[in-house]
Amino acid sequence: MSSAFDIVLSAREQVAPGLLRLRFARADGQPLAHQAGQFIQLHLADAQGTLQRRSYSLANRSDQPLPGNQFEFAISLVPGGLAAGLLSTLPIGASVPASGPLGRFCLNPGDSNRRYLLLATGTGVSPYRAMLPALIERMQQGLEVVLLHGARTADELPYAGEFLALAAAQPRFVYLPCVSRQWPVDLPAACQGHVQEQLARLNPDPAHDIAYLCGNPAMIDAGFALLRAAGFGMPRLRREKYLSLSGQAAGA
């Protein structure tokens, strides 16, 4: 476990009723050196004073550095959640103990695939946003990328505007927003239903695709089972689960 350090809240934006974007910086002014796809842990005390850890994937893009060594992540406001209650009311300038970065949900420089299939729900899309600079570079070399991003409503699709802009500019990038509880929606290429229900239309190819799955455990388990049934071996499947009650990420 990495050593703890304090981080200071520098900005908070509520982008939907149940969704926040937060920016922090280390209190010591040092950069938070990390790989795209990693997460940070917050150390929080519950009502009984017991230490709890909550993990959030970093959403920073290396080609769009934030001033003052800030870093960013998005959180879902789970009703009654420990982190949601704290982070939605934490004063700007206040600090929280943290550790990290952690995790291995990263792009492999040795991958020899033709296409990435990126599956996400809600804030589980954050590591893919962080990966965009590397993905764009690979797309310029001929790689294809398909991002399936699911949420209950269109407002709960963080960073959708960036993904839609990239899809309009880069023919090798496809963004498919999937909305399960709101229909119709005014989004290009939108799908009704859940992420895993759209997999078949992409004709997953275990010989040439590598799949990443991040977000809600139900989506990950269903998508993982479908991809395994399609012939994907473990080296071509990468997972990061967001546990719904705590918001904690658990990689596998």
Side-chain angles (χ1 to χ4, degrees):
M1 180 66 66
S2 58
S3 300
F5 49 87
D6 285 343
I7 60 174
V8 178
L9 180 65
S10 54
R12 174 174 49 232
E13 178 187 10
Q14 185 154 0
V15 294
L19 185 66
L20 290 181
R21 286 172 62 173
L22 302 162
R23 289 184 179 178
F24 284 86
R26 287 182 57 132
D28 59 11
Q30 296 299 308
L32 183 70
H34 66 282
Q35 297 182 61
Q38 290 189 305
F39 61 89
I40 189 171
Q41 284 194 333
L42 307 188
H43 302 189
L44 310 174
D46 62 19
Q48 289 73 43
T50 303
L51 181 66
Q52 304 285 345
R53 290 185 171 88
R54 297 293 184 267
S55 304
Y56 297 99
S57 293
L58 296 161
N60 295 59
R61 292 179 59 161
S62 60
D63 60 345
Q64 299 176 3
L66 297 172
N69 292 324
Q70 295 177 84
F71 52 89
E72 178 176 318
F73 56 86
I75 72 164
S76 297
L77 295 175
V78 179
L82 173 64
L86 172 67
L87 295 177
S88 62
T89 59
L90 187 70
I92 301 298
S95 63
V96 177
S99 59
L102 302 164
R104 296 175 293 175
F105 191 71
C106 304
L107 292 176
N108 186 339
D111 285 343
S112 59
N113 54 313
R114 296 179 186 172
R115 182 174 65 165
Y116 283 116
L117 301 178
L118 309 179
L119 282 67
T121 55
T123 59
V125 82
S126 297
Y128 305 143
R129 182 185 188 251
M131 294 174 187
L132 281 181
L135 290 171
I136 290 170
E137 182 177 332
R138 296 187 190 192
M139 285 187 283
Q140 291 170 344
Q141 299 169 0
L143 188 83
E144 296 182 356
V145 178
V146 180
L147 172 55
L148 284 162
H149 185 192
R152 296 173 300 177
T153 69
D155 286 343
E156 297 172 309
L157 294 166
Y159 308 111
E162 291 183 44
F163 297 125
L164 288 167
L166 179 59
Q170 170 56 262
R172 293 191 176 93
F173 180 76
V174 176
Y175 179 58
L176 299 175
C178 304
V179 180
S180 62
R181 297 190 187 178
Q182 173 192 15
W183 201 259
V185 294
D186 185 19
L187 290 173
C191 311
Q192 184 178 16
H194 296 97
V195 165
Q196 61 270 21
E197 297 167 352
Q198 306 303 320
L199 263 177
R201 64 185 281 190
L202 302 178
N203 298 313
D205 181 356
H208 299 119
D209 294 340
I210 290 177
Y212 282 71
L213 305 96
C214 186
N216 184 282
M219 180 280 288
I220 290 178
D221 291 344
F224 180 81
L226 288 168
L227 291 164
R228 288 288 283 167
F232 280 69
M234 290 302 295
R236 303 187 84 80
L237 294 173
R238 294 153 194 185
R239 297 176 287 177
E240 187 98 301
K241 289 187 178 182
Y242 284 12
L243 305 183
S244 59
L245 292 180
S246 69
Q248 185 169 348

